[in-house]
Amino acid sequence: RRRRRGRLSPGAMVIVQQKIREAKKNAKQRAAEKEKEKLNAIFKAADTDGTGDLSSEQVSAAIKEYSGKEPTEQELKFVMKVSDTKPPEGKLGVAEFADALLSWQCYQDDLEGLMADFDEFDTDKSGSLDKEQLRQALKRVSDEVTDKDVEFVLEKADIIGDGVINPIEMKLAYTLWFQRWVVMHASEEPVSSAAAPAEVKEEKRQGKSRGCTLQ
């Protein structure tokens, strides 16, 4: 039989698909290399004293150069604390700086929705959530929130260490509470679709929590 024009044989199709996968892989590698070059250039420009490590002030300037937005004092404290994992303390090397930018980008990617949530529970407009306001926010995931639950989330999510939850800590607070809720219900009977909190059902559908990996 004469083969139809314009149609590839199975063998040729496999080769084409392989080439496509290779092209996509190479494109990702080039994009990663380009991003690494950009990061290194920003780091080098911010390292004005040539020490190979960035102070908090230099990190702030670098974040502004990278994203076009200067972090607030609270945001900078958070980014520094979650990223500063190696000596010298209080300064970031290149790898730590990459973690800092990831943390910052994670925060910025969902800032609009995050602030809408935060503003709803920041009833006194103080710019932070106290224990009771945090409790009301956590009820977005489950109606049952005990004092121990609030204490747990506050202790783990208060990276800045000022005893309240600031906007940049909100994602982490949601993530911790979602994970705690799952663990507490892991040994129980499967939660029915009707009984599961709306946010939990949505997160299970998406296969992720409301939070964002910060490190």
Side-chain angles (χ1 to χ4, degrees), residues 102-141:
L102 175 61
S103 173
W104 176 255
Q105 194 60 51
C106 171
Y107 170 57
Q108 292 295 310
D109 283 347
D110 193 34
L111 185 58
E112 184 177 349
L114 180 67
M115 289 308 301
D117 257 12
F118 188 89
D119 290 341
E120 178 180 347
F121 299 108
D122 181 21
T123 52
D124 56 359
K125 304 307 175 185
S126 64
S128 60
L129 302 186
D130 60 23
K131 288 183 179 180
E132 185 54 36
Q133 291 167 329
L134 176 60
R135 183 196 304 275
Q136 297 306 315
L138 298 183
K139 286 185 177 181
R140 278 286 181 86
V141 177

mmCIF file of all heavy atoms in Angstrom, residues 102-141:
data_model
loop_
_atom_site.group_PDB
_atom_site.id
_atom_site.type_symbol
_atom_site.label_atom_id
_atom_site.label_comp_id
_atom_site.label_asym_id
_atom_site.label_seq_id
_atom_site.Cartn_x
_atom_site.Cartn_y
_atom_site.Cartn_z
ATOM 1 N N LEU A 102 14.320 33.132 46.192
ATOM 2 C CA LEU A 102 13.220 32.174 46.067
ATOM 3 C C LEU A 102 12.136 32.476 47.085
ATOM 4 O O LEU A 102 10.938 32.479 46.765
ATOM 5 C CB LEU A 102 13.742 30.756 46.266
ATOM 6 C CG LEU A 102 12.683 29.644 46.292
ATOM 7 C CD1 LEU A 102 11.926 29.577 44.975
ATOM 8 C CD2 LEU A 102 13.318 28.300 46.611
ATOM 9 N N SER A 103 12.562 32.733 48.324
ATOM 10 C CA SER A 103 11.622 33.084 49.381
ATOM 11 C C SER A 103 10.848 34.352 49.024
ATOM 12 O O SER A 103 9.625 34.425 49.188
ATOM 13 C CB SER A 103 12.382 33.288 50.694
ATOM 14 O OG SER A 103 11.537 33.776 51.710
ATOM 15 N N TRP A 104 11.560 35.354 48.533
ATOM 16 C CA TRP A 104 10.936 36.626 48.162
ATOM 17 C C TRP A 104 9.966 36.444 47.006
ATOM 18 O O TRP A 104 8.853 36.970 47.029
ATOM 19 C CB TRP A 104 12.015 37.633 47.795
ATOM 20 C CG TRP A 104 11.496 38.944 47.297
ATOM 21 C CD1 TRP A 104 11.481 39.404 46.014
ATOM 22 C CD2 TRP A 104 10.870 39.966 48.082
ATOM 23 N NE1 TRP A 104 10.915 40.657 45.949
ATOM 24 C CE2 TRP A 104 10.524 41.019 47.209
ATOM 25 C CE3 TRP A 104 10.586 40.093 49.444
ATOM 26 C CZ2 TRP A 104 9.901 42.178 47.644
ATOM 27 C CZ3 TRP A 104 9.961 41.257 49.869
ATOM 28 C CH2 TRP A 104 9.626 42.278 48.982
ATOM 29 N N GLN A 105 10.367 35.680 45.987
ATOM 30 C CA GLN A 105 9.506 35.474 44.822
ATOM 31 C C GLN A 105 8.265 34.684 45.186
ATOM 32 O O GLN A 105 7.170 34.955 44.703
ATOM 33 C CB GLN A 105 10.287 34.742 43.714
ATOM 34 C CG GLN A 105 9.607 34.781 42.354
ATOM 35 C CD GLN A 105 9.403 36.196 41.860
ATOM 36 O OE1 GLN A 105 10.341 36.999 41.846
ATOM 37 N NE2 GLN A 105 8.188 36.532 41.474
ATOM 38 N N CYS A 106 8.443 33.703 46.061
ATOM 39 C CA CYS A 106 7.313 32.908 46.549
ATOM 40 C C CYS A 106 6.268 33.814 47.195
ATOM 41 O O CYS A 106 5.070 33.673 46.972
ATOM 42 C CB CYS A 106 7.819 31.879 47.548
ATOM 43 S SG CYS A 106 6.552 30.994 48.445
ATOM 44 N N TYR A 107 6.746 34.739 47.991
ATOM 45 C CA TYR A 107 5.877 35.698 48.688
ATOM 46 C C TYR A 107 5.186 36.624 47.693
ATOM 47 O O TYR A 107 3.981 36.876 47.779
ATOM 48 C CB TYR A 107 6.732 36.480 49.680
ATOM 49 C CG TYR A 107 6.078 37.677 50.317
ATOM 50 C CD1 TYR A 107 4.885 37.567 51.025
ATOM 51 C CD2 TYR A 107 6.688 38.931 50.257
ATOM 52 C CE1 TYR A 107 4.315 38.672 51.642
ATOM 53 C CE2 TYR A 107 6.127 40.032 50.868
ATOM 54 C CZ TYR A 107 4.937 39.903 51.558
ATOM 55 O OH TYR A 107 4.380 40.995 52.162
ATOM 56 N N GLN A 108 5.933 37.124 46.731
ATOM 57 C CA GLN A 108 5.390 38.073 45.771
ATOM 58 C C GLN A 108 4.385 37.446 44.807
ATOM 59 O O GLN A 108 3.443 38.102 44.374
ATOM 60 C CB GLN A 108 6.535 38.707 44.965
ATOM 61 C CG GLN A 108 7.440 39.624 45.771
ATOM 62 C CD GLN A 108 6.709 40.854 46.284
ATOM 63 O OE1 GLN A 108 6.036 41.546 45.525
ATOM 64 N NE2 GLN A 108 6.826 41.127 47.566
ATOM 65 N N ASP A 109 4.582 36.171 44.480
ATOM 66 C CA ASP A 109 3.735 35.518 43.490
ATOM 67 C C ASP A 109 2.261 35.483 43.898
ATOM 68 O O ASP A 109 1.380 35.470 43.048
ATOM 69 C CB ASP A 109 4.224 34.081 43.229
ATOM 70 C CG ASP A 109 5.460 34.056 42.348
ATOM 71 O OD1 ASP A 109 5.780 35.103 41.743
ATOM 72 O OD2 ASP A 109 6.120 32.996 42.275
ATOM 73 N N ASP A 110 2.013 35.416 45.193
ATOM 74 C CA ASP A 110 0.626 35.318 45.659
ATOM 75 C C ASP A 110 0.274 36.482 46.577
ATOM 76 O O ASP A 110 -0.594 36.380 47.432
ATOM 77 C CB ASP A 110 0.413 33.989 46.389
ATOM 78 C CG ASP A 110 -1.058 33.681 46.620
ATOM 79 O OD1 ASP A 110 -1.882 34.050 45.757
ATOM 80 O OD2 ASP A 110 -1.390 33.089 47.663
ATOM 81 N N LEU A 111 0.969 37.612 46.389
ATOM 82 C CA LEU A 111 0.826 38.726 47.323
ATOM 83 C C LEU A 111 -0.591 39.296 47.345
ATOM 84 O O LEU A 111 -1.124 39.609 48.414
ATOM 85 C CB LEU A 111 1.832 39.831 46.971
ATOM 86 C CG LEU A 111 1.888 41.012 47.941
ATOM 87 C CD1 LEU A 111 2.220 40.537 49.346
ATOM 88 C CD2 LEU A 111 2.926 42.029 47.478
ATOM 89 N N GLU A 112 -1.209 39.423 46.179
ATOM 90 C CA GLU A 112 -2.544 40.031 46.121
ATOM 91 C C GLU A 112 -3.561 39.228 46.919
ATOM 92 O O GLU A 112 -4.292 39.759 47.763
ATOM 93 C CB GLU A 112 -2.994 40.158 44.665
ATOM 94 C CG GLU A 112 -4.338 40.869 44.510
ATOM 95 C CD GLU A 112 -4.729 41.057 43.060
ATOM 96 O OE1 GLU A 112 -3.880 40.832 42.166
ATOM 97 O OE2 GLU A 112 -5.889 41.428 42.804
ATOM 98 N N GLY A 113 -3.606 37.913 46.660
ATOM 99 C CA GLY A 113 -4.549 37.066 47.395
ATOM 100 C C GLY A 113 -4.185 36.955 48.857
ATOM 101 O O GLY A 113 -5.060 36.918 49.734
ATOM 102 N N LEU A 114 -2.892 36.911 49.131
ATOM 103 C CA LEU A 114 -2.409 36.810 50.502
ATOM 104 C C LEU A 114 -2.824 38.028 51.316
ATOM 105 O O LEU A 114 -3.317 37.900 52.436
ATOM 106 C CB LEU A 114 -0.886 36.689 50.489
ATOM 107 C CG LEU A 114 -0.184 36.569 51.834
ATOM 108 C CD1 LEU A 114 -0.546 35.244 52.495
ATOM 109 C CD2 LEU A 114 1.323 36.670 51.659
ATOM 110 N N MET A 115 -2.657 39.226 50.746
ATOM 111 C CA MET A 115 -2.998 40.440 51.466
ATOM 112 C C MET A 115 -4.503 40.593 51.637
ATOM 113 O O MET A 115 -4.961 41.162 52.638
ATOM 114 C CB MET A 115 -2.419 41.659 50.735
ATOM 115 C CG MET A 115 -0.897 41.760 50.833
ATOM 116 S SD MET A 115 -0.274 41.659 52.540
ATOM 117 C CE MET A 115 -1.104 43.052 53.299
ATOM 118 N N ALA A 116 -5.267 40.081 50.691
ATOM 119 C CA ALA A 116 -6.727 40.121 50.828
ATOM 120 C C ALA A 116 -7.141 39.296 52.044
ATOM 121 O O ALA A 116 -7.997 39.717 52.850
ATOM 122 C CB ALA A 116 -7.395 39.597 49.568
ATOM 123 N N ASP A 117 -6.541 38.111 52.190
ATOM 124 C CA ASP A 117 -6.792 37.265 53.352
ATOM 125 C C ASP A 117 -6.339 37.966 54.621
ATOM 126 O O ASP A 117 -7.067 38.022 55.615
ATOM 127 C CB ASP A 117 -6.013 35.950 53.206
ATOM 128 C CG ASP A 117 -6.907 34.799 52.776
ATOM 129 O OD1 ASP A 117 -8.053 35.057 52.386
ATOM 130 O OD2 ASP A 117 -6.448 33.650 52.823
ATOM 131 N N PHE A 118 -5.131 38.486 54.590
ATOM 132 C CA PHE A 118 -4.542 39.105 55.780
ATOM 133 C C PHE A 118 -5.372 40.295 56.244
ATOM 134 O O PHE A 118 -5.678 40.430 57.431
ATOM 135 C CB PHE A 118 -3.110 39.555 55.469
ATOM 136 C CG PHE A 118 -2.353 40.022 56.672
ATOM 137 C CD1 PHE A 118 -1.620 39.127 57.432
ATOM 138 C CD2 PHE A 118 -2.382 41.355 57.066
ATOM 139 C CE1 PHE A 118 -0.917 39.549 58.559
ATOM 140 C CE2 PHE A 118 -1.688 41.788 58.179
ATOM 141 C CZ PHE A 118 -0.959 40.879 58.926
ATOM 142 N N ASP A 119 -5.733 41.153 55.315
ATOM 143 C CA ASP A 119 -6.492 42.359 55.658
ATOM 144 C C ASP A 119 -7.848 42.023 56.275
ATOM 145 O O ASP A 119 -8.351 42.753 57.131
ATOM 146 C CB ASP A 119 -6.692 43.235 54.434
ATOM 147 C CG ASP A 119 -5.395 43.897 53.970
ATOM 148 O OD1 ASP A 119 -4.453 43.965 54.778
ATOM 149 O OD2 ASP A 119 -5.327 44.329 52.804
ATOM 150 N N GLU A 120 -8.425 40.901 55.842
ATOM 151 C CA GLU A 120 -9.724 40.503 56.381
ATOM 152 C C GLU A 120 -9.645 40.219 57.879
ATOM 153 O O GLU A 120 -10.565 40.545 58.645
ATOM 154 C CB GLU A 120 -10.236 39.259 55.648
ATOM 155 C CG GLU A 120 -11.563 38.741 56.172
ATOM 156 C CD GLU A 120 -12.048 37.517 55.442
ATOM 157 O OE1 GLU A 120 -11.493 37.206 54.362
ATOM 158 O OE2 GLU A 120 -12.976 36.858 55.944
ATOM 159 N N PHE A 121 -8.530 39.619 58.314
ATOM 160 C CA PHE A 121 -8.399 39.229 59.720
ATOM 161 C C PHE A 121 -7.626 40.246 60.556
ATOM 162 O O PHE A 121 -7.664 40.193 61.786
ATOM 163 C CB PHE A 121 -7.739 37.852 59.807
ATOM 164 C CG PHE A 121 -8.545 36.785 59.131
ATOM 165 C CD1 PHE A 121 -8.131 36.235 57.935
ATOM 166 C CD2 PHE A 121 -9.748 36.364 59.673
ATOM 167 C CE1 PHE A 121 -8.889 35.271 57.300
ATOM 168 C CE2 PHE A 121 -10.518 35.399 59.051
ATOM 169 C CZ PHE A 121 -10.090 34.845 57.855
ATOM 170 N N ASP A 122 -6.975 41.176 59.906
ATOM 171 C CA ASP A 122 -6.284 42.258 60.618
ATOM 172 C C ASP A 122 -7.306 43.347 60.938
ATOM 173 O O ASP A 122 -7.264 44.457 60.419
ATOM 174 C CB ASP A 122 -5.147 42.806 59.754
ATOM 175 C CG ASP A 122 -4.367 43.920 60.439
ATOM 176 O OD1 ASP A 122 -4.433 44.005 61.687
ATOM 177 O OD2 ASP A 122 -3.719 44.710 59.724
ATOM 178 N N THR A 123 -8.205 43.003 61.842
ATOM 179 C CA THR A 123 -9.360 43.863 62.111
ATOM 180 C C THR A 123 -9.000 45.197 62.749
ATOM 181 O O THR A 123 -9.742 46.170 62.613
ATOM 182 C CB THR A 123 -10.361 43.121 63.022
ATOM 183 O OG1 THR A 123 -9.656 42.628 64.176
ATOM 184 C CG2 THR A 123 -10.988 41.955 62.277
ATOM 185 N N ASP A 124 -7.877 45.249 63.456
ATOM 186 C CA ASP A 124 -7.485 46.512 64.085
ATOM 187 C C ASP A 124 -6.482 47.288 63.212
ATOM 188 O O ASP A 124 -5.984 48.329 63.615
ATOM 189 C CB ASP A 124 -6.886 46.280 65.471
ATOM 190 C CG ASP A 124 -5.705 45.311 65.425
ATOM 191 O OD1 ASP A 124 -5.365 44.815 64.328
ATOM 192 O OD2 ASP A 124 -5.132 45.036 66.500
ATOM 193 N N LYS A 125 -6.205 46.740 62.016
ATOM 194 C CA LYS A 125 -5.313 47.389 61.033
ATOM 195 C C LYS A 125 -3.938 47.713 61.636
ATOM 196 O O LYS A 125 -3.351 48.749 61.349
ATOM 197 C CB LYS A 125 -5.959 48.677 60.489
ATOM 198 C CG LYS A 125 -7.330 48.451 59.868
ATOM 199 C CD LYS A 125 -7.294 47.355 58.821
ATOM 200 C CE LYS A 125 -8.684 47.032 58.278
ATOM 201 N NZ LYS A 125 -8.674 45.874 57.348
ATOM 202 N N SER A 126 -3.438 46.785 62.436
ATOM 203 C CA SER A 126 -2.128 46.961 63.066
ATOM 204 C C SER A 126 -0.996 46.515 62.147
ATOM 205 O O SER A 126 0.175 46.799 62.419
ATOM 206 C CB SER A 126 -2.070 46.159 64.377
ATOM 207 O OG SER A 126 -2.186 44.766 64.102
ATOM 208 N N GLY A 127 -1.346 45.796 61.086
ATOM 209 C CA GLY A 127 -0.316 45.292 60.184
ATOM 210 C C GLY A 127 0.212 43.930 60.582
ATOM 211 O O GLY A 127 1.167 43.425 59.986
ATOM 212 N N SER A 128 -0.416 43.323 61.607
ATOM 213 C CA SER A 128 -0.016 41.996 62.064
ATOM 214 C C SER A 128 -1.227 41.305 62.695
ATOM 215 O O SER A 128 -2.217 41.958 63.033
ATOM 216 C CB SER A 128 1.136 42.081 63.066
ATOM 217 O OG SER A 128 0.732 42.839 64.197
ATOM 218 N N LEU A 129 -1.131 39.982 62.859
ATOM 219 C CA LEU A 129 -2.225 39.220 63.464
ATOM 220 C C LEU A 129 -1.812 38.728 64.846
ATOM 221 O O LEU A 129 -0.763 38.084 64.998
ATOM 222 C CB LEU A 129 -2.581 38.003 62.597
ATOM 223 C CG LEU A 129 -2.993 38.256 61.144
ATOM 224 C CD1 LEU A 129 -3.441 36.950 60.493
ATOM 225 C CD2 LEU A 129 -4.086 39.308 61.050
ATOM 226 N N ASP A 130 -2.641 39.040 65.864
ATOM 227 C CA ASP A 130 -2.381 38.494 67.187
ATOM 228 C C ASP A 130 -2.989 37.092 67.254
ATOM 229 O O ASP A 130 -3.480 36.562 66.251
ATOM 230 C CB ASP A 130 -2.959 39.412 68.275
ATOM 231 C CG ASP A 130 -4.469 39.608 68.148
ATOM 232 O OD1 ASP A 130 -5.159 38.745 67.540
ATOM 233 O OD2 ASP A 130 -4.980 40.625 68.661
ATOM 234 N N LYS A 131 -2.972 36.475 68.424
ATOM 235 C CA LYS A 131 -3.417 35.089 68.547
ATOM 236 C C LYS A 131 -4.873 34.895 68.124
ATOM 237 O O LYS A 131 -5.202 33.944 67.408
ATOM 238 C CB LYS A 131 -3.233 34.610 69.998
ATOM 239 C CG LYS A 131 -1.782 34.398 70.385
ATOM 240 C CD LYS A 131 -1.683 33.851 71.807
ATOM 241 C CE LYS A 131 -0.226 33.620 72.196
ATOM 242 N NZ LYS A 131 -0.120 33.085 73.580
ATOM 243 N N GLU A 132 -5.748 35.767 68.567
ATOM 244 C CA GLU A 132 -7.164 35.598 68.243
ATOM 245 C C GLU A 132 -7.420 35.832 66.755
ATOM 246 O O GLU A 132 -8.219 35.123 66.133
ATOM 247 C CB GLU A 132 -8.023 36.547 69.083
ATOM 248 C CG GLU A 132 -9.531 36.343 68.898
ATOM 249 C CD GLU A 132 -9.960 34.900 69.131
ATOM 250 O OE1 GLU A 132 -9.398 34.232 70.016
ATOM 251 O OE2 GLU A 132 -10.866 34.436 68.392
ATOM 252 N N GLN A 133 -6.755 36.810 66.184
ATOM 253 C CA GLN A 133 -6.909 37.060 64.753
ATOM 254 C C GLN A 133 -6.345 35.895 63.940
ATOM 255 O O GLN A 133 -6.913 35.504 62.922
ATOM 256 C CB GLN A 133 -6.193 38.364 64.380
ATOM 257 C CG GLN A 133 -6.872 39.599 64.954
ATOM 258 C CD GLN A 133 -6.001 40.836 64.845
ATOM 259 O OE1 GLN A 133 -4.768 40.764 64.884
ATOM 260 N NE2 GLN A 133 -6.632 41.995 64.715
ATOM 261 N N LEU A 134 -5.235 35.323 64.425
ATOM 262 C CA LEU A 134 -4.661 34.149 63.759
ATOM 263 C C LEU A 134 -5.623 32.975 63.837
ATOM 264 O O LEU A 134 -5.804 32.239 62.861
ATOM 265 C CB LEU A 134 -3.331 33.781 64.421
ATOM 266 C CG LEU A 134 -2.652 32.513 63.900
ATOM 267 C CD1 LEU A 134 -2.345 32.626 62.415
ATOM 268 C CD2 LEU A 134 -1.379 32.235 64.697
ATOM 269 N N ARG A 135 -6.274 32.806 64.975
ATOM 270 C CA ARG A 135 -7.247 31.728 65.124
ATOM 271 C C ARG A 135 -8.358 31.839 64.074
ATOM 272 O O ARG A 135 -8.741 30.851 63.449
ATOM 273 C CB ARG A 135 -7.873 31.773 66.528
ATOM 274 C CG ARG A 135 -8.858 30.610 66.793
ATOM 275 C CD ARG A 135 -9.737 30.925 68.010
ATOM 276 N NE ARG A 135 -8.927 31.214 69.174
ATOM 277 C CZ ARG A 135 -8.435 30.276 69.987
ATOM 278 N NH1 ARG A 135 -8.692 29.002 69.753
ATOM 279 N NH2 ARG A 135 -7.723 30.631 71.039
ATOM 280 N N GLN A 136 -8.861 33.039 63.884
ATOM 281 C CA GLN A 136 -9.921 33.248 62.896
ATOM 282 C C GLN A 136 -9.421 32.946 61.485
ATOM 283 O O GLN A 136 -10.155 32.389 60.665
ATOM 284 C CB GLN A 136 -10.436 34.686 62.982
ATOM 285 C CG GLN A 136 -11.083 35.044 64.315
ATOM 286 C CD GLN A 136 -12.194 34.079 64.701
ATOM 287 O OE1 GLN A 136 -13.044 33.718 63.875
ATOM 288 N NE2 GLN A 136 -12.191 33.655 65.959
ATOM 289 N N ALA A 137 -8.172 33.282 61.216
ATOM 290 C CA ALA A 137 -7.603 32.995 59.893
ATOM 291 C C ALA A 137 -7.466 31.492 59.675
ATOM 292 O O ALA A 137 -7.764 30.981 58.590
ATOM 293 C CB ALA A 137 -6.239 33.671 59.757
ATOM 294 N N LEU A 138 -7.027 30.779 60.704
ATOM 295 C CA LEU A 138 -6.835 29.330 60.595
ATOM 296 C C LEU A 138 -8.161 28.604 60.402
ATOM 297 O O LEU A 138 -8.196 27.487 59.872
ATOM 298 C CB LEU A 138 -6.111 28.786 61.823
ATOM 299 C CG LEU A 138 -4.694 29.330 62.062
ATOM 300 C CD1 LEU A 138 -4.076 28.649 63.274
ATOM 301 C CD2 LEU A 138 -3.820 29.155 60.837
ATOM 302 N N LYS A 139 -9.248 29.224 60.833
ATOM 303 C CA LYS A 139 -10.568 28.614 60.652
ATOM 304 C C LYS A 139 -10.961 28.533 59.184
ATOM 305 O O LYS A 139 -11.961 27.902 58.846
ATOM 306 C CB LYS A 139 -11.624 29.376 61.451
ATOM 307 C CG LYS A 139 -11.549 29.108 62.956
ATOM 308 C CD LYS A 139 -12.684 29.791 63.710
ATOM 309 C CE LYS A 139 -12.641 29.446 65.186
ATOM 310 N NZ LYS A 139 -13.753 30.077 65.948
ATOM 311 N N ARG A 140 -10.190 29.185 58.327
ATOM 312 C CA ARG A 140 -10.403 29.039 56.887
ATOM 313 C C ARG A 140 -10.163 27.592 56.462
ATOM 314 O O ARG A 140 -10.706 27.117 55.472
ATOM 315 C CB ARG A 140 -9.451 29.959 56.119
ATOM 316 C CG ARG A 140 -9.911 31.396 56.011
ATOM 317 C CD ARG A 140 -11.066 31.519 55.014
ATOM 318 N NE ARG A 140 -11.526 32.870 54.870
ATOM 319 C CZ ARG A 140 -10.991 33.753 54.035
ATOM 320 N NH1 ARG A 140 -9.959 33.417 53.287
ATOM 321 N NH2 ARG A 140 -11.485 34.969 53.949
ATOM 322 N N VAL A 141 -9.305 26.903 57.218
ATOM 323 C CA VAL A 141 -8.978 25.510 56.900
ATOM 324 C C VAL A 141 -9.865 24.553 57.680
ATOM 325 O O VAL A 141 -10.337 23.552 57.150
ATOM 326 C CB VAL A 141 -7.492 25.229 57.206
ATOM 327 C CG1 VAL A 141 -7.144 23.765 56.949
ATOM 328 C CG2 VAL A 141 -6.600 26.126 56.350
#
